[in-house]
Amino acid sequence: MSVLRPLDKLPGLNTATVLLVGADDALLQRLADSMLKTDCASELRVHLARSLPLPSNVNRPRVDLLVFVINLHSKYSLQSVEKSLHHVDASFFLGKACFLATGGGRLP
């Protein structure tokens, strides 16, 4: 288990890998399916994780964009993202990471 760094691996030709991190598996899967349905000139790969750190694996692809998904109605969702932030290199936050808040329009 290690810190996720943006430049650990060389980029693939015409490929992009997005890592969605969040506690709500169903929401992450719907978001991933939606992303994969869009027409794109390059190959898009989407991986899901409940939290970081990811297991150390030599075959793990390079992560081009890191998306933290937070459900505004779940305290556990925010805590999971907060704990995951400790396992991300600071240079990831220079255009390679974002936060997506969900559940703002729904009543609890």
Side-chain angles (χ1 to χ4, degrees), residues 5 11 14 19 32-33 40 43 60-61 68 78 95 97 100 103 106:
R5 298 184 199 293
N14 291 329
L19 177 61
D33 292 341
C40 183
E43 179 185 352
R60 184 175 60 211
F68 293 101
L78 179 60
L100 175 65
R106 292 184 274 153

Side-chain angles (χ1 to χ4, degrees), residues 37-101:
K37 285 181 185 175
T38 56
D39 192 25
C40 183
S42 300
E43 179 185 352
L44 178 64
R45 297 178 189 155
V46 181
H47 295 270
L48 311 176
R50 287 183 128 291
S51 63
L52 296 178
L54 298 173
S56 296
N57 183 349
V58 177
N59 297 325
R60 184 175 60 211
R62 168 190 160 119
V63 175
D64 297 299
L65 179 65
L66 180 58
V67 180
F68 293 101
V69 182
I70 304 166
N71 182 343
L72 296 176
H73 296 290
S74 171
K75 186 176 182 178
Y76 174 73
S77 176
L78 179 60
Q79 289 172 343
S80 175
V81 168
E82 286 177 332
K83 289 178 184 176
S84 295
L85 289 175
H86 297 286
H87 302 284
V88 179
D89 188 63
S91 61
F92 235 109
F93 295 100
L94 298 172
K96 292 191 170 283
C98 67
F99 295 88
L100 175 65

